[in-house]
Amino acid sequence: MRKLAAGNWKMNGTGASLSEAQALIAAQPSPACEMLLCPPATLVARLADVARGSALMVGGQDCHTNDTGAHTGDISAAMLADAGATSVILGHSERRADHGETDALVHAKALAARKAGLVAIVCIGETLAERDAGTTLDVIAAQMASVPEDSTAAGLVIAYEPVWAIGTGRTPTIDQIAEVHAFLRARLTERIGAAAAGVRLLYGGSVKPSNAGEIFAVPHVDGALVGGASLKAADFGAIVAALSAS
Ligand code: 13P
């Protein structure tokens, strides 16, 4: 399986940020892992132009369930593909919190992504209250409802992002990451069968150059979904290098 370093720029970045992507391509011309940046929708086509012919892939941060229609402000998976995206982040905890996205909606979006030929990067993860209550694995198990049962290894990536680790500088212990990722692989196998063995399971939440190496050594961690540290070519490039060496 080819590991994946994915960057989520969230609601950050303007045309000036494309220079960071250019610097990343220059620093990592042929990494041993896949390298993906998901900029805001306004930059997808421009980043795809910058990335053309390089190892850098481009993704979206959300898509609608429909291909076209009267949905002001939304964009479809087909539109992302047309703009040069090859994947799309779905069900990020910020969208679940800001827009009330449910597992059922994320499931429908994952089907729309597949129809457009995009890899669905489905995000799951517990809140701090759920972690403290000892219900993390129950929450993860329930969120598997976001994943279509007939998903393929090539068409699906799952990102485990504990909500309390996002943008906080706090990360779970290595043992906690290992516990969730092993559980995730087992539950995914129950849900989609043998294809689960080839699905990339990413860890996300305060991944930085300084902690990437030890996180990438954890069994069933097949890459990272990186927020803040993906905005700077030097930081994201160092994370790509750590994953390539793992
Ligand atoms: P940070 O890396 O900034 O903690 O964000 C993680 C994240 O939410 C990626 O989707």
Side-chain angles (χ1 to χ4, degrees), residues 27 81 112-114 132 148 203 243:
R114 177 199 306 169
D132 288 346
Y203 168 78
L243 187 58

Side-chain angles (χ1 to χ4, degrees), residues 8 10 89 92 94 161 165-168 204-207 225-229:
N8 174 9
K10 309 191 179 185
I89 297 169
H92 192 281
E94 288 151 15
E161 300 204 302
I166 294 175
T168 58
S206 295
V207 176
L225 182 55
V226 183

Side-chain angles (χ1 to χ4, degrees), residues 5-101:
N8 174 9
W9 281 7
K10 309 191 179 185
M11 199 173 73
N12 298 292
T14 60
S17 315
L18 296 172
S19 63
E20 291 296 329
Q22 279 160 337
L24 177 68
I25 291 166
Q28 294 290 335
S30 51
C33 62
E34 288 185 1
M35 184 168 75
L36 168 75
L37 283 177
C38 301
T42 48
L43 290 179
V44 167
R46 289 165 78 184
L47 186 59
D49 281 343
V50 167
R52 189 158 296 116
S54 81
L56 179 64
M57 298 182 300
V58 182
Q61 297 179 10
D62 175 49
C63 70
H64 196 273
T65 54
N66 291 352
D67 285 346
T68 57
H71 303 288
T72 302
D74 280 314
I75 52 174
S76 70
M79 291 169 177
L80 286 171
D82 177 61
T86 55
S87 59
V88 59
I89 297 169
L90 297 173
H92 192 281
S93 62
E94 288 151 15
R95 291 208 60 86
R96 292 177 187 259
D98 292 353
H99 300 277
E101 293 200 2

Side-chain angles (χ1 to χ4, degrees), residues 13-229:
T14 60
S17 315
L18 296 172
S19 63
E20 291 296 329
Q22 279 160 337
L24 177 68
I25 291 166
Q28 294 290 335
S30 51
C33 62
E34 288 185 1
M35 184 168 75
L36 168 75
L37 283 177
C38 301
T42 48
L43 290 179
V44 167
R46 289 165 78 184
L47 186 59
D49 281 343
V50 167
R52 189 158 296 116
S54 81
L56 179 64
M57 298 182 300
V58 182
Q61 297 179 10
D62 175 49
C63 70
H64 196 273
T65 54
N66 291 352
D67 285 346
T68 57
H71 303 288
T72 302
D74 280 314
I75 52 174
S76 70
M79 291 169 177
L80 286 171
D82 177 61
T86 55
S87 59
V88 59
I89 297 169
L90 297 173
H92 192 281
S93 62
E94 288 151 15
R95 291 208 60 86
R96 292 177 187 259
D98 292 353
H99 300 277
E101 293 200 2
T102 61
D103 291 326
L105 181 63
V106 177
H107 182 281
K109 290 183 173 192
L111 294 179
R114 177 199 306 169
K115 194 169 155 213
L118 299 181
V119 176
I121 303 174
V122 173
C123 301
I124 59 174
E126 82 285 1
T127 63
L128 187 57
E130 290 162 343
R131 167 66 64 181
D132 288 346
T135 58
T136 296
L137 298 184
D138 298 333
V139 170
I140 300 298
Q143 289 174 332
M144 295 301 290
S146 305
V147 176
E149 295 87 331
D150 55 351
S151 295
T152 62
L156 176 70
V157 171
I158 297 190
Y160 167 55
E161 300 204 302
V163 177
W164 52 275
I166 294 175
T168 58
R170 293 182 60 195
T171 54
T173 65
I174 292 303
D175 285 350
Q176 287 172 327
I177 295 174
E179 179 188 38
V180 172
H181 277 247
F183 179 79
L184 197 46
R185 185 79 70 195
R187 293 312 292 242
L188 191 60
T189 303
E190 284 172 20
R191 188 155 178 88
I192 72 169
V199 172
R200 272 85 58 90
L201 306 182
L202 311 184
Y203 168 78
S206 295
V207 176
K208 306 200 165 12
S210 56
N211 61 16
E214 60 174 349
I215 292 172
F216 294 152
V218 175
H220 301 293
V221 172
D222 309 311
L225 182 55
V226 183

